[in-house]
Amino acid sequence: MSRNTRILMSVIYWAFVVYLFVPLVLMVTMGFKDSKFIGFPIRGWTLDWYSEIFRSAEVLGAFGYTMAIALSTTFLSLVIGTWIAAFLGPHKFRGKLLVFALACMPAVIPGIISAISLRIYIQFLQIDTGMAAIILGHTIHNVPFVALVVMARLATLPKSHIEAARDLGADQLVAFSRVTLPYLKPALIGAGVFCMLLSFDDFVRSFFLGSYQPTLPVLIFAKLRSGMSPEINAISTVVLVITAILGIWAERSMRRMNKGTSV
């Protein structure tokens, strides 16, 4: 690669970094503005918007409600997605590709189409809108991501490990719980964090399937309709920090577990 090409690639890279991070920096900055409106110039700085959201029963209630939905969705998605991956991974049968395509279909359907169809579906099942309906919708959307991640990890599992466990007298269930499941832990952590973030951030399905109690994205949307306020930036900044901490923890945990399994 020539020197001019390296310079050009470097310029493109840093331009892309600036394009990604400048909006985040502006968002965080406006959360400290001592004014009721977003924009420049900034004549003063304050932490009042953060103290206000931590005192707001509405914001804290929406955050707790969203976390409960995300945790429930993550648990169900991990269980169902792992089962699908274990079923599709090592087994060969006629129609496997069709089953795999059907399992992955919820991940590629546009969000608005998925939300409308799920709304019709819960009415058909006579399920009231609210927490249960949102968990159902989020789980259907998140299961394919778990299945894909677990299948990728499962493909690297040495068959000799399973064969050794079976030779020592372990049945299929014991071999899965003692050998396969510990090997899948890094993938499960990564998929779990991804599902949790997807559920926490899901606005469209939460909006169509929700009831009177709003999730945090729906609450932010409702606040945006009355005008931009630094309070929204403060809420977004707190969510950004929590997301970053969760992502860093998951990355470090997966790295430690991968080192352990490679020894």
Side-chain angles (χ1 to χ4, degrees), residues 200-217:
F200 194 92
D201 189 53
D202 197 325
F203 166 76
V204 178
R205 275 165 281 268
S206 299
F207 183 80
F208 275 83
L209 302 176
S211 185
Y212 296 105
Q213 175 69 32
T215 62
L216 193 60

Side-chain angles (χ1 to χ4, degrees), residues 64-74 130-131 134-135 138 199 215:
Y65 184 63
T66 308
M67 283 297 298
I69 290 173
L71 290 172
S72 302
T73 299
T74 300
M131 188 174 187
I134 296 174
I135 291 174
H138 288 192
S199 177
T215 62

Side-chain angles (χ1 to χ4, degrees), residues 2-182:
S2 65
R3 183 172 179 272
N4 291 336
T5 304
R6 288 197 301 269
I7 293 175
L8 177 61
M9 295 299 293
S10 179
V11 170
I12 294 174
Y13 170 78
W14 286 110
F16 184 68
V17 169
V18 170
Y19 175 78
L20 287 179
F21 284 95
V22 165
L24 294 177
V25 173
L26 291 176
M27 180 197 72
V28 174
T29 302
M30 291 299 167
F32 295 97
K33 184 182 179 183
D34 187 11
S35 172
K36 292 184 178 180
F37 304 100
I38 293 175
F40 292 99
I42 300 177
R43 295 186 174 87
W45 305 91
T46 182
L47 292 173
D48 290 346
W49 298 110
Y50 290 91
S51 60
E52 184 175 329
I53 64 174
F54 284 112
R55 290 196 306 263
S56 173
E58 183 183 34
V59 174
L60 294 178
F63 180 82
Y65 184 63
T66 308
M67 283 297 298
I69 290 173
L71 290 172
S72 302
T73 299
T74 300
F75 174 76
L76 292 174
S77 300
L78 287 175
V79 172
I80 300 172
T82 303
W83 178 80
I84 292 175
F87 174 72
L88 291 176
H91 299 96
K92 294 182 179 180
F93 55 90
R94 182 176 297 178
K96 179 179 177 179
L97 185 60
L98 177 61
V99 175
F100 176 76
L102 291 174
C104 295
M105 187 176 294
V108 298
I109 295 177
I112 185 67
I113 304 301
S114 173
I116 294 173
S117 62
L118 286 169
R119 180 63 182 260
I120 297 172
Y121 185 54
I122 66 169
Q123 287 182 344
F124 175 75
L125 296 178
Q126 297 183 348
I127 299 175
D128 294 331
T129 55
M131 188 174 187
I134 296 174
I135 291 174
L136 174 63
H138 288 192
T139 301
I140 291 174
H141 178 252
N142 292 352
V143 161
F145 299 102
V146 177
L148 290 172
V149 172
V150 174
M151 285 179 66
R153 177 69 174 177
L154 198 60
T156 64
L157 175 63
K159 294 182 179 180
S160 57
H161 292 187
I162 303 297
E163 294 172 355
R166 299 300 295 270
D167 290 340
L168 293 173
D171 58 21
Q172 191 171 357
L173 181 61
V174 173
F176 179 81
S177 61
R178 297 288 183 88
V179 179
T180 306
L181 201 57

